[in-house]
Structures are given as C-alpha cells and as structure tokens.
Amino acid sequence: MSAPVPSDTLLANAMALHRTGNLAGAEPLYRTLLERHPDHPDALHLLGVLRSQAGDPAEGASLIAGAIARRGNVAAYHANLALALKALGRFDEAEAALRSAIALAPGVGPLVALGGVRRAGGRHAEALAVYCAAQTIDPGDGAAQEGIAHAVSELARMDSGKPASALTAYRRAFRLRPAAPFAAYNLALTLQKAGETGAAIPVFQAAAALDPAEPAVLSGLGLALLSVRCGDRAAAIRAPAILARVVRLRPRDAQDRFHLAEAAQAAGDADRAATAYKDTAALRPTDYTAWENAALLDARGHRLAALAAHAGGLMAAARAKHLFWKAPVYIAMHVANDRIAAGRPDAAKQALDHFRQAAADENRDLLPWIDFLRGSLLLRMPGDEAAGDEAAENKAAGRAVLKTLVPALPFLRHVTFGDDFDALCRSVSPEERADHRAGFQSEPATEGAGPLLFAACDDRYLRLFAAPLLLTVDAFCGEGQRVHLHIADPDPDIAEVVAGLRAPLRRCRLTVSTERTPPDLDPASRCTLYTCLRLMRAPDVMDLHGHPPLVMIDIDALLPIDPRRLVDAMAPEEEAMLIHRPDSLDYLYNTISNGLIVLRPSDAMLEVLERTATVLLHWQRQRSMAYFLDQMALIQGFADVERRRGAVGILPIEELGRRLGVSNVFLPFFDEKHRAGFTEQMSALTASIHEETRTAGRSEEERRAALTDLVRRLQAATPTPR
C-alpha cells in the first residue's frame, strides 16, 4: 500500500489545479485535507473561494468565515469573503469585510473591490469616490480606471452625468490596459451606444483578437457589423460568420440564434436565416417574431415542405400555450398578406393550405380561423367580377366559405356585400330610430373648446377607467377641452360618481349622458352592446354639441396628448384618422379598429356615423349580436358611403405618429378586467397617474414616458389572454 500524500503536497497539488481552472480536480483534494485537518485555515479559505467560483457563494462564504475565525489577520481572506457576500447580495456585510481587508493591507485592490460592491448595491456616486481614491494611490491602475468608467457610465444613464464623460473614461481604461479583452470590449460597447459604430468595430476586433473564444466579445463585434449593414455590404456578409461562432460557443442561447438569423437575413442568406429563426423558436418557443420570420422566409423561398413543418410546430406551440392561442392565425395571415403584396395570390393560397393542414393535425380549434382567411383570399382574387370570369367564381366560393363558418365564427353573419348594408339601414323605420334617440338622456352640453373627446361604457367600466382617462386628458389638454361620457345602465349613485370625476379636473369640461339598455339581453349580447355604444350614440352626441371634430376613444385607455393636436395633424382633405388595414386578409372585421378614431364633421362623416348607428340598431333589435360587431358596422358604414359618395380621405394612425413626432398617443389596457386584484391595481394606477400628471416642472415627453411606464407595469402583471 502506498503512503498517504503529505498534507503540504496535497495542498500544493490542489492549488495548482485550482489555478488552472480545474475546480472539479481541486475540490476533492481540499476536502481530503480538511478531513485530516478540519481547522486548516488555508484549506477552508481556498475551498470557500472554489465553491464561490463554482456557483455556491453561500457555502463559499461559510467556509471563508471559518478560515477567518481561525486566522483573522489575513487580508485576502476578508477580501474573498466580500466577493462571496457580494454574490449573495449582502452588500453591507461585503463592505464591512473589505474594510477589514483594507485595514490589514491598505492598497488599490481592496479599494477597487469596495467600489464594485457599492456599484452592485446601486450606490454609483459612492463607488466613483472609492475608485477615484484608488486611482490617487496608483494613477496607472487600469482596474481603478475601469471602475471609474463603469460608475460614470451608470451615473450618466441615470441622468446624473454626461455620456461623453463615460466614453473618455473608457478610452483611458483601454489605454492603461490594452491587453485586457474586456477593457477593449467596454470601450467598444460605449462607442456603439454613443452612435459611433464605425469607430467601435476596430475596438471590438481588438477585443476579439485578445480573446477569440469569448462569446460576449464576438457577439458585440457581430452585432456592430450588422448595425452598419446599410452602408457596408462587406460588413453585412462578415457578421453571420462571426455570430455563427458565438452560437457554437453558446449553443443553448436563443438570443444568439436570433442574432445569427438577423445577420443571415441581412446578408441575403434566406435559407440560413430561416434555419436560425427555427432554432430560436425551438429554444424559446414563446418568441413570436422568430416563428413569424421563419414562416415568411420559407414562403418567400417557396420552401413549402419546410413551411408545412414549421406551421405544425407553431400550431403545437400555441396549443401548449407557449404563444397566444391565436398566434398561428396571425402568422398565417401575415405570410399570405406578404405573398399577395408580392403579386403572388397563388403562393398565398398554397401557404394557407399548409397552415390549414397543420391546424387539422395539431390544433383543430384554429381550423375555422384559417378557413376564414382562405375564404377572404378567394374574395380578393384578381379578376373582373362583372365580366363573369374566374374572379366571379372565386368571390362566390369565398362567400360560400364564410357562410359555412358562421356557426364557429358568429360575427361572420354580419358581413354584408353589395347593397346588403343599405337594405339593413332601410329596414329600420324612422319611428324605431326616433324611439331609440329618445332613450338618450343627457345634461346640457358644457361650453368648451377644441374637438369633442367621446367615450362610452357601462357603470362598472366608468368606475374602473374613467378617472385615469380624465386625469390624463386633463394633464395634456388645452383650457376648456370638451369631454363627453355616455354611460349605460348607471347605478343610482351616478350623480355622486360623476361629481367625484369632475372634482380634480382643471381644464376639461365634462358632459355626461345615460341610457337604459333592453332588460332581456343575454350577458354576451349585453357585453357586445356596450362595445357598440359609442357608435350607436355618436350621432346624438354630435347633435348635442353642434357637430365639432370628434375624437372617440376607449374608456379603458389613456390619451397622453392634447386632442387638438390630433385634429391639427390632419390635412384638409383628410376626413378621418384611424387604424386602417384595407389590404389585410382580416379586413372584413379588422379594417378599422375602434381604439382611437378622429372624425371631421363633414357630410360624409356624419352620414357614416348615422348609417353605422342605424345598422347597429337593426342588429340590436334582431337580438343578433356578436363580437367585432362594432368594428364591422363601422367598416361597412365607410364602405357604404364610399360606394355612394366616392373615396373618403383617411389618415392611418401610423402616419399620425410620424407627423407629430410622438409615440404612444394612445395607451390601451389589457383585456383581463375580471381577474382577481385588477380593481385594486387600477385604483393604485389612478393614484399614480394623479401624482404623475400633477408633478410640476416636467416636459410633456417626460410625463408621457412616465404614464407609458405605469401602464406597461400594469400590463406586465396581467396574464397573457388565452
């Protein structure tokens, strides 16, 4: 039997393995030594360092604390304890450990480590002071200078410093440590953030030359090359190869795969891009964009077998609730729309056929929706219907498909063709229309200025959403802004509720109207009726206020912009501003979205409102109401007036944002109104909005950004609709 390895040799062997990064080989040697000598301070300390490096800082801190208990006068013990405590988020204890290390061995190293602890704890200004103290001791210390750069950068991000100062600091850190890969990497990142991507690329290249196997450095270089692709074709071609190296180094990272896909697509390598997007979706099945881009590239490349397989995976992912349940329908529609826009309706049909087969195999709940797209495509097939050619047959087939889908998609019963809409309008007698108008009970119109902001809801939504909407409008509008709220089925205390809504308003002038809805409606029909109220009562509201420009908004949304700006942004020939998607395959129910609509009081627009309200009244009287009814009636109202009067000037909302140079002119809430805790969250949000909108000295952009953040936080706490 061989003699046991001497303890000194055992420690030396363990340390040698540890230094080379062989943690698995070093750990059993340290533990063997501790079995012989449980109080061995160096073994306790070094095993603690190893465990921290191996991802267990809790055990590491415990072991190092044991070493300190046995030999408390070694500065390195305290410094390494601080690193373990920092990894655990115990920043105050880490700082105390570093102060012990500094007391035992003053110098730059422990001060730099102290700066790192303060940075990790969010105390960036205090960290900067420590780094500067370290630099005073040794002006040439690159670690101290890099700490200064990090702290200055973080303070600049928090608006406490200047971005240029961070760039200067990183340049100096790189000069002090030109052989340190991350000194170059940090400088390159900072140059890129400052918009100097061209200057960043050679610095990224220097970092990659210093450490050619570091994924973060290679990823930074690849993305920098990708970002200048518009001006440098050679850079676009080089980016995929570099990002492919990153994927080989980090094969389980979905974001790396996505970046490779983007780079391959930019370089014109559609096959490689489609594969990388599919790999991204396999690693991260919740990534809608990866699924969609892969499908688009397959369809554009006429890789139909690949598209069919991908569609099957997409259907399965939605069934497994990795994606919104209807995501495959949206992606199928986007693919088909893309092929139609390219002049290939035949390719659109082939793509939809593959999506239909995938739905039949993997997700039969979506079959009616895919068939709806197929029927819509038949209606859009080119040709001259009047000439009685193939186009007429396609349209007849499309209408037949839609008719068969009514049991599964009840909203399709409300689709009209040709003169059907006019016939529905004529089916409502003048007496019925007058009787309906008599149900509109309103206060006198309040005097005011600007366009009329109009929303409608039931009593419950009034209590949930009216306050944040009114507070937001009041904060952004001009003096005397007119607002009209129409309330269905109000509770007896409605006067008290309205008084509470009016009390905090400083600029808005609020008018309120009410009505009682038919008592015999089933719950689903009543809910649909509430969504239709704005359109059904818009003619009454316009008459009451003398036909001003009209801004219609959802009650469960915010409008962080002066409504006057919405009207002023429209050109003289533009009579309406709204979401407008007439070329999409879901145009029959989604050409127009009701979220935000601006109308000028032209004869054509007043007629659109009147005829839309009349058709909605017809469906209400028929007790035949379904989801999307409000949008469908408005879409058909526009189409009806255009058939008889000619084209109506429409400004799409997307163009409005470009004209105003403002994003987020409309902030909708999610649809999970009935989940537990939503009412309490809305109350808290209302209080926050009141505080944000009353804060003095903030620009409109700052207030809009703050409101956007509030709504996003509410949405982040909301489960994805199923």
Side-chain angles (χ1 to χ4, degrees):
M1 180 180 294
S2 60
V5 178
S7 295
D8 289 347
T9 304
L10 200 61
L11 179 60
N13 291 343
M15 291 173 65
L17 291 168
H18 196 166
R19 276 194 295 270
T20 63
N22 187 349
L23 304 187
E27 181 172 348
L29 301 185
Y30 285 136
R31 292 196 184 276
T32 299
L33 182 56
L34 284 170
E35 288 174 4
R36 296 182 191 175
H37 308 288
D39 292 329
H40 196 298
D42 285 339
L44 286 167
H45 166 242
L46 291 169
L47 180 58
V49 172
L50 182 149
R51 292 307 303 153
S52 293
Q53 293 170 334
D56 189 356
E59 185 183 6
S62 176
L63 288 163
I64 299 171
I68 291 172
R70 289 158 178 82
R71 187 189 296 163
N73 61 349
V74 181
Y77 290 7
H78 294 276
N80 285 324
L81 175 61
L83 291 176
L85 292 168
K86 175 186 172 186
L88 292 168
R90 293 156 59 179
F91 302 123
D92 290 343
E93 295 172 71
E95 180 159 343
L98 281 168
R99 291 194 179 281
S100 296
I102 293 168
L104 290 165
V108 172
L111 282 173
V112 171
L114 178 58
V117 168
R118 289 181 174 179
R119 276 185 58 225
R123 296 156 59 194
H124 305 301
E126 295 176 52
L128 180 60
V130 173
Y131 289 132
C132 289
Q135 191 181 59
T136 301
I137 296 171
D138 183 357
D141 189 272
Q145 179 59 41
E146 193 150 348
I148 289 172
H150 288 324
V152 169
S153 176
E154 285 153 352
L155 288 169
R157 184 174 52 82
M158 297 165 60
D159 297 327
S160 300
K162 297 180 179 178
S165 301
L167 189 54
T168 300
Y170 278 119
R171 282 194 170 111
R172 188 166 190 275
F174 181 47
R175 286 196 300 271
L176 288 172
R177 295 205 294 181
F182 271 87
Y185 173 72
N186 288 327
L187 173 58
L189 276 183
T190 309
L191 285 164
Q192 191 173 31
K193 289 175 183 175
E196 299 183 32
T197 302
I201 288 173
V203 186
F204 274 124
Q205 290 170 328
L210 290 166
D211 191 351
E214 173 49 54
V217 171
L218 293 172
S219 179
L221 174 58
L223 293 176
L225 291 168
L226 180 61
S227 68
V228 298
R229 63 182 182 270
C230 294
D232 188 344
R233 176 66 179 168
I237 293 173
R238 288 164 56 205
I242 293 168
L243 292 170
R245 287 168 59 194
V246 178
V247 166
R248 288 194 293 273
L249 290 165
R250 295 192 298 210
R252 301 300 301 170
D253 191 302
Q255 194 61 37
D256 289 337
R257 301 271 180 174
F258 189 87
H259 290 154
L260 173 59
E262 289 184 305
Q265 189 171 2
D269 190 344
D271 290 348
R272 188 178 198 177
T275 298
Y277 280 128
K278 290 171 188 174
D279 290 342
T280 302
L283 290 168
R284 189 170 60 198
T286 58
D287 194 325
Y288 180 95
T289 303
W291 286 104
E292 180 178 39
N293 287 357
L296 284 167
L297 289 171
D298 280 342
R300 290 169 185 170
H302 204 63
R303 293 183 293 272
L304 298 182
L307 177 63
H310 187 62
L314 178 60
M315 293 286 178
R319 190 188 67 243
K321 300 184 179 179
H322 295 311
L323 293 163
F324 177 57
W325 71 273
K326 205 175 167 187
V329 178
Y330 297 145
I331 291 176
M333 181 179 68
H334 296 162
V335 169
N337 285 340
D338 180 79
R339 295 297 78 210
I340 293 169
R344 292 290 310 278
D346 58 322
K349 181 181 182 302
Q350 288 177 321
L352 290 177
D353 287 344
H354 286 299
F355 273 95
R356 188 184 194 284
Q357 186 60 54
D361 294 339
E362 297 286 351
N363 199 334
R364 296 189 66 83
D365 289 345
L366 296 182
L367 267 176
W369 288 99
I370 300 296
D371 281 337
F372 162 71
L373 296 178
R374 295 168 75 241
S376 297
L377 178 61
L378 287 169
L379 294 174
R380 301 302 277 282
M381 283 295 199
D384 185 356
E385 186 177 8
D389 63 5
E390 183 180 354
E393 296 177 7
N394 285 331
K395 288 176 172 53
R399 293 175 188 177
V401 168
L402 298 184
K403 185 175 181 180
T404 65
L405 293 173
V406 168
L409 305 178
F411 68 88
L412 290 177
R413 74 166 62 96
H414 303 295
V415 173
T416 62
F417 297 100
D419 293 330
D420 294 349
F421 188 88
D422 182 62
L424 294 181
C425 286
R426 287 186 281 103
S427 72
V428 179
S429 68
E431 293 76 19
E432 287 179 302
R433 193 77 181 95
D435 181 58
H436 181 252
R437 288 206 158 183
F440 177 76
Q441 303 296 313
S442 180
E443 306 169 333
T446 305
E447 293 294 326
L452 176 66
L453 185 71
F454 174 40
C457 60
D458 67 337
D459 186 89
R460 177 174 177 267
Y461 270 34
L462 177 79
R463 295 168 192 266
L464 266 179
F465 300 111
L469 172 62
L470 290 172
L471 287 170
T472 302
V473 173
D474 195 60
F476 285 84
C477 71
E479 187 64 39
Q481 173 63 50
R482 293 178 285 186
V483 180
H484 189 111
L485 295 183
H486 181 67
I487 308 156
D489 303 321
D491 283 350
D493 64 344
I494 184 63
E496 181 180 343
V497 173
V498 171
L501 293 173
R502 281 196 173 105
L505 301 181
R506 299 176 298 175
R507 299 185 183 91
C508 288
R509 305 291 180 264
L510 176 62
T511 302
V512 172
S513 58
T514 62
E515 71 174 285
R516 293 288 170 188
T517 59
D520 61 336
L521 290 175
D522 63 80
S525 295
R526 187 173 302 283
C527 183
T528 300
L529 176 58
Y530 289 158
T531 67
C532 297
L533 280 176
R534 277 185 307 166
L535 296 175
M536 295 183 75
R537 289 306 182 184
D540 305 290
V541 169
M542 289 288 277
D543 288 348
L544 178 71
H545 290 270
H547 297 170
L550 186 66
V551 177
M552 290 196 284
I553 188 172
D554 288 337
I555 191 72
D556 55 339
L558 302 180
L559 188 70
I561 192 170
D562 188 339
R564 293 167 175 80
R565 293 184 64 188
L566 302 179
V567 177
D568 293 344
M570 297 169 66
E573 68 276 9
E574 290 166 345
E575 299 172 88
M577 186 278 292
L578 37 77
I579 290 175
H580 194 228
R581 306 187 188 97
D583 297 326
S584 179
L585 278 184
D586 64 351
Y587 71 100
L588 291 172
Y589 74 89
N590 202 28
T591 305
I592 294 170
S593 174
N594 270 345
L596 177 63
I597 296 174
V598 182
L599 300 177
R600 283 200 166 125
S602 66
D603 290 344
M605 287 303 95
L606 292 174
E607 190 169 355
V608 167
L609 292 177
E610 181 64 39
R611 290 175 72 79
T612 299
T614 301
V615 164
L616 287 171
L617 179 58
H618 162 81
W619 290 119
Q620 178 194 317
R621 294 290 171 88
Q622 294 293 315
R623 298 295 189 265
S624 177
M625 309 183 76
Y627 200 58
F628 302 126
L629 180 58
D630 53 338
Q631 290 179 203
M632 295 176 71
L634 185 59
I635 291 166
Q636 294 166 29
F638 268 92
D640 172 72
V641 168
E642 287 190 325
R643 271 194 299 271
R644 293 180 296 102
R645 286 180 170 268
V648 173
I650 294 177
L651 170 66
I653 278 180
E654 295 80 3
E655 177 60 27
L656 174 80
R658 286 191 287 271
R659 288 187 189 180
L660 293 176
V662 174
S663 60
N664 299 325
V665 298
F666 173 68
L667 299 174
F669 297 116
F670 275 9
D671 294 330
E672 299 292 310
K673 276 58 170 198
H674 299 286
R675 63 181 169 80
F678 188 86
T679 300
E680 291 74 16
Q681 282 187 305
M682 282 305 305
S683 296
L685 178 69
T686 301
S688 298
I689 288 174
H690 191 275
E691 181 179 348
E692 289 289 350
T693 55
R694 293 296 187 264
T695 302
R698 305 186 73 182
S699 68
E700 180 178 292
E701 290 73 17
E702 289 172 327
R703 283 185 286 130
R704 184 180 296 108
L707 289 173
T708 302
D709 182 61
L710 288 170
V711 173
R712 295 293 179 262
R713 275 187 271 143
L714 175 71
Q715 292 173 339
T718 305
T720 302
R722 295 298 182 192

